Amino acid sequence: MIRHSTLQMQIPLTNSPFKPPQIFPFHNPKQFSLQTHIPNSLKGSGYLSEITKAIDYEEQYRVAKSQVNRKGLNLEGYSIEGVSIGGHETCIIIPEFKCAFDIGRCPTRAIHQNFVFITHAHLDHIGGLPMYVGTRGLYNLKPPTVFVPPCIKDDVQKLLDVHETLGQVELNCELVALDVGETYEIRNDLVVRPFKTQHVIPSQGYVVYSIRKKLRKQYSHMNGKQIEKIKKSGVEITDTILSPEVAFTGDTTSDFMLDPLNADALRAKVLITEATFLDDSTSVEHARQHGHTHISELIENAQWIRNKTVLLTHFSSRYNIEDIHQAVAKLQSKLSAKVVPLTEGFKSLYS
């Protein structure tokens, strides 16, 4: 509030000649007013206009800054955080699963996750692995379990061995080669299965499933005592139901959506996938040649996306937060799923 004299005026911000930029699809300015006292000598001098401009700009700055500073997202009941900037680093953390998808440069929060799922061997996805394993040892945390595509397991082991030799330290972890179609239980109510993705080097995504038991139909009419008696006789009375909760693709072309074997990734509650390129400055053909996805391809394949929420990642560093939100708004209009961009690490026009 600005105080000068006894004259009281209301200045609607939306009537200001300075219009909020249209690059904020995520922000709908509300009508509100500023009470202030302006001396008669300043009336008509342009003073009010300049004040209004400054306040309006400050509001835009505040909203943009809040987008920059946002550290985590709550999507379909899961806390998802991390950073994913194309060519720089990717590490997506889900504390409820105690896991990270890819390790990037090993952000501090990832160190406390017991499981890491590596999609492929590019440095911006795997470069921080020795640091991750070594830091857990430094903190006396139990050795982690690291999952990799089978074809790179030996080389990943060599990577760890080199750092052991250079640093004269032990890097203890369980390195698991998990192939497409195989299943690994990370908790008694959670399993993980890899699925095939398309990148310029060998790659795979991962789906995390929840497990629940469901009574078989033929026993649904029985009471508790009858069911207990049958169960004690050794008869299996339940079916195991797997429900896809979260899918992570890592770097891939949009072709993964056309593979019938990847249906679970496209019906998980949350799909975390990439959209490296967002505008016409880069063609779809260029994106595909480099093993990436152009956001326009997601629009074209919207019919296959049955997830509740899609978290977009791996934007090129050429974009700012406003560019990202503009592109996401176009995609959102074509999808029934909620579309959310991961903008951690990106700059705003207002920062």
Side-chain angles (χ1 to χ4, degrees), residues 292-311:
H292 293 298
T293 299
H294 193 289
I295 197 168
S296 64
E297 296 178 280
L298 297 179
I299 295 174
E300 291 174 5
N301 290 288
Q303 60 181 317
W304 308 116
I305 300 174
R306 297 181 173 88
N307 314 89
K308 291 184 178 180
T309 298
V310 176
L311 177 62

Side-chain angles (χ1 to χ4, degrees), residues 38-324:
I38 306 296
N40 290 332
S41 60
L42 292 177
K43 293 176 64 176
S45 66
Y47 177 86
L48 296 182
S49 177
E50 293 303 315
I51 290 292
T52 303
K53 285 182 182 180
I55 294 172
D56 210 4
Y57 185 88
E58 180 67 21
E59 172 66 10
Q60 303 302 319
Y61 172 81
R62 183 191 64 77
V63 173
K65 186 175 181 181
S66 71
Q67 295 293 325
V68 174
N69 292 337
R70 186 173 59 185
K71 297 298 182 182
L73 301 164
N74 192 302
L75 303 177
E76 305 303 328
Y78 293 110
S79 303
I80 301 177
E81 57 188 276
V83 60
S84 183
I85 304 172
H88 290 251
E89 59 179 316
T90 290
C91 180
I92 307 298
I93 300 162
I94 305 183
E96 288 87 348
F97 299 156
K98 297 295 291 182
C99 85
F101 294 108
D102 288 329
I103 195 60
R105 300 181 184 183
C106 186
T108 301
R109 188 74 171 88
I111 294 167
H112 297 279
Q113 311 311 311
N114 296 336
F115 305 98
V116 169
F117 297 91
I118 299 295
T119 60
H120 66 289
H122 278 153
L123 277 177
D124 55 323
H125 293 256
I126 200 175
L129 185 60
M131 177 65 77
Y132 163 73
V133 177
T135 306
R136 282 185 64 90
L138 183 66
Y139 291 171
N140 293 316
L141 299 172
K142 70 177 184 179
T145 304
V146 179
F147 301 88
V148 297
C151 62
I152 68 170
K153 180 185 178 182
D154 290 345
D155 288 333
V156 173
Q157 186 60 62
K158 290 176 185 177
L159 172 68
L160 295 173
D161 291 343
V162 166
H163 281 276
E164 280 190 326
T165 301
L166 290 173
Q168 298 182 25
V169 295
E170 289 187 3
L171 297 180
N172 295 319
C173 72
E174 181 183 3
L175 193 59
V176 178
L178 193 62
D179 205 355
V180 170
E182 295 180 336
T183 302
Y184 192 100
E185 183 180 285
I186 61 173
R187 210 169 66 193
N188 60 5
D189 61 344
L190 290 176
V191 298
V192 178
R193 287 177 179 168
F195 63 94
K196 189 175 182 180
T197 56
Q198 306 289 337
H199 196 38
V200 292
I201 62 174
S203 65
Q204 62 189 35
Y206 298 91
V207 179
V208 180
Y209 298 82
S210 62
I211 305 172
R212 62 185 178 88
K213 300 289 187 178
K214 184 178 181 180
L215 186 67
R216 290 178 174 172
K217 289 183 178 180
Q218 60 263 42
Y219 305 115
S220 59
H221 66 283
M222 295 183 177
N223 60 39
K225 290 184 178 180
Q226 292 173 319
I227 292 173
E228 187 64 26
K229 183 178 179 180
I230 294 174
K231 185 177 179 181
K232 286 182 178 180
S233 70
V235 175
E236 181 57 62
I237 61 172
T238 60
D239 291 318
T240 299
I241 307 297
L242 297 183
S243 299
E245 300 291 327
V246 176
F248 178 75
T249 67
D251 292 4
T252 183
T253 68
S254 62
D255 288 347
F256 85 93
M257 292 188 285
L258 305 179
D259 187 340
L261 298 178
N262 293 345
D264 283 351
L266 296 169
R267 69 182 187 93
K269 289 180 181 176
V270 180
L271 171 63
I272 307 171
T273 192
E274 70 131 289
T276 303
F277 303 108
L278 302 176
D279 56 28
D280 294 338
S281 65
T282 302
S283 67
V284 170
E285 290 73 24
H286 177 88
R288 293 181 63 82
Q289 287 173 5
H290 291 81
H292 293 298
T293 299
H294 193 289
I295 197 168
S296 64
E297 296 178 280
L298 297 179
I299 295 174
E300 291 174 5
N301 290 288
Q303 60 181 317
W304 308 116
I305 300 174
R306 297 181 173 88
N307 314 89
K308 291 184 178 180
T309 298
V310 176
L311 177 62
L312 294 183
T313 65
H314 204 266
F315 308 113
S316 168
S317 61
R318 74 186 66 174
Y319 301 117
N320 57 46
I321 289 178
E322 290 73 37
D323 294 330
I324 294 169

